[in-house]
Amino acid sequence: MIDTYSDRQLQIIKTVSETGFCAIDALSEHFSVSTQTIRRDVNALCEQGELRRVWGGVEAPPISGNLLYAKRRIMNVAAKRKIALQVAAHIPDGSSIALSIGTTPEMAIAALQEKTNLKIFTNNLNIAMQASGRHDWSVTIAGGSVRSGDRDILGAEVEAFFERFEVDFGIFGVAGVSQDGGLLDFSEAEVGSRRAILKNCRTSYLVMDHSKFGRTADVRGGHLSDVDHIFCDQAIPQQFLDKLGLASVSVAVPGKVVEEQAL
């Protein structure tokens, strides 16, 4: 359904996703249209479940279940951009990098465009297409069936693909983090590819925006304490930091880096 929305409606979804709430008057002023026009757009988006009407405006609906890739791409864009820029600052020229599926790893590859002589290994076609635009980068992609919409390649072939390489950095996201610090995804295949990257990289980067903490998904695979570095757009809630136990994990958020946490 998202492909049938007007450009303004898509921008409304993006704006509300980034801010959490927008007043009707503010949207009217931002798009230079009448409040009646904005209300028609908003009502249509609310009927489709994209937004939720509240007193004085609209807000993003609660996240439950996996969302279409096109919709996830425009959610929390500013937060993902912050994360991507943090990651790029830690990747030197000439690195080998394995990147998993997801919109935040895709944003990370865009932030790396100023780097030279990178070797990219991925199971996502969006990432591969961006990376292949650089003449001095090498790009290797997993084989197998492509998941419609997400443009991911998943399954046993992908896990075997990542097993064949030992890379400098592994960059991956998650669908959610449970209350006990467990890493969650929506399928065993997603967990399998992520864990294969984790196992076969020298340094692991978990990239995720703050909305992932406490978000539920069906399949457990790993724990916050398994990774080397966590990159987030906001300070990680203390209850999740407590779950790291004695693990040494670097946590990076904008304006603050906590090195070698032992909590």
Side-chain angles (χ1 to χ4, degrees), residues 50-71:
E50 306 287 356
L51 303 175
R52 183 168 65 177
R53 287 298 299 264
V54 292
W55 181 259
V58 288
E59 65 179 11
I63 298 175
S64 60
N66 204 2
L67 301 175
L68 293 175
Y69 197 85
K71 187 181 295 185

Side-chain angles (χ1 to χ4, degrees), residues 99-198:
L99 295 104
S100 76
I101 65 176
T103 56
T104 308
E106 182 183 350
M107 192 78 76
I109 202 70
L112 288 167
Q113 291 299 310
E114 298 302 316
K115 304 294 181 177
T116 60
N117 300 312
L118 298 184
K119 302 178 184 69
I120 304 298
F121 303 85
T122 187
N123 59 324
N124 178 266
L125 296 183
N126 295 311
I127 290 173
M129 288 299 293
Q130 284 200 56
S132 62
R134 286 292 304 268
H135 73 277
D136 60 327
W137 293 12
S138 68
V139 182
T140 307
I141 190 165
S145 299
V146 178
R147 183 163 61 168
S148 177
D150 296 67
R151 297 174 182 168
D152 302 327
I153 304 167
L154 294 170
E157 295 176 30
V158 172
E159 295 173 38
F161 166 78
F162 287 121
E163 290 277 0
R164 296 204 302 270
F165 307 100
E166 184 175 356
V167 298
D168 296 322
F169 300 97
I171 301 175
F172 47 84
V174 290
V177 181
S178 66
Q179 296 297 329
D180 64 358
L183 304 182
L184 307 175
D185 279 297
F186 288 101
S187 74
E188 292 184 70
E190 290 174 339
V191 170
S193 65
R194 171 168 55 78
R195 298 192 78 163
I197 291 175
L198 175 63

